[in-house]
Amino acid sequence: MARQGKFLKGTFLGAAIGAVAGLLFAPKTGKETRDDIQQKSQQVAGEAGKQARKARTQATRQAKQVRRSAGKLSRQAKRSGVKAKRQASRSVDRAGKRARRRTSDQ
């Protein structure tokens, strides 16, 4: 995940730098170059927004998955605790019965 994010950032940054360099060295008038820069900056902003929405969607999806997993683990822990409590209670009851039998036998 982190590698993919770094790769996307690098690709995005490289494309932006290349576009700006291409515009600056192009044989156009100042107005044409400024218009091109404005257009490219709008494209870059649009792409950045798109990537941000994609990242937000992915983060939301992962957060939901984590919540589901945490809930599942919580329920499992609760069931295990209830089971352990029952087993301990049975063991105590059996030990008490054995103790009563031994004392009544003497």
Side-chain angles (χ1 to χ4, degrees):
M1 173 78 183
R3 286 184 182 173
Q4 184 181 14
K6 287 181 181 179
F7 177 77
L8 288 174
K9 283 181 188 176
T11 302
F12 179 69
L13 184 61
I17 290 171
V20 169
L23 288 173
L24 292 176
F25 292 107
K28 294 182 179 181
T29 67
K31 175 151 177 37
E32 290 175 323
T33 301
R34 286 190 299 276
D35 289 344
D36 286 349
I37 289 172
Q38 183 180 9
Q39 182 182 5
K40 285 292 183 184
S41 65
Q42 288 172 351
Q43 288 175 353
V44 167
E47 183 62 27
K50 180 179 172 183
Q51 292 298 324
R53 286 187 296 277
K54 184 177 176 183
R56 188 179 312 118
T57 299
Q58 190 173 14
T60 301
R61 200 174 302 133
Q62 288 178 345
K64 285 179 184 178
Q65 184 178 358
V66 167
R67 279 193 294 273
R68 281 192 300 265
S69 295
K72 183 177 178 181
L73 288 173
S74 174
R75 288 187 297 276
Q76 288 174 345
K78 184 177 179 180
R79 283 192 296 265
S80 295
V82 168
K83 185 177 176 182
K85 181 181 174 185
R86 277 193 227 125
Q87 289 175 343
S89 179
R90 288 179 192 148
S91 294
V92 168
D93 288 346
R94 281 189 292 241
K97 286 178 185 177
R98 275 189 248 131
R100 284 190 292 277
R101 271 187 271 150
R102 286 185 184 155
T103 56
S104 66
D105 288 344
Q106 293 177 357

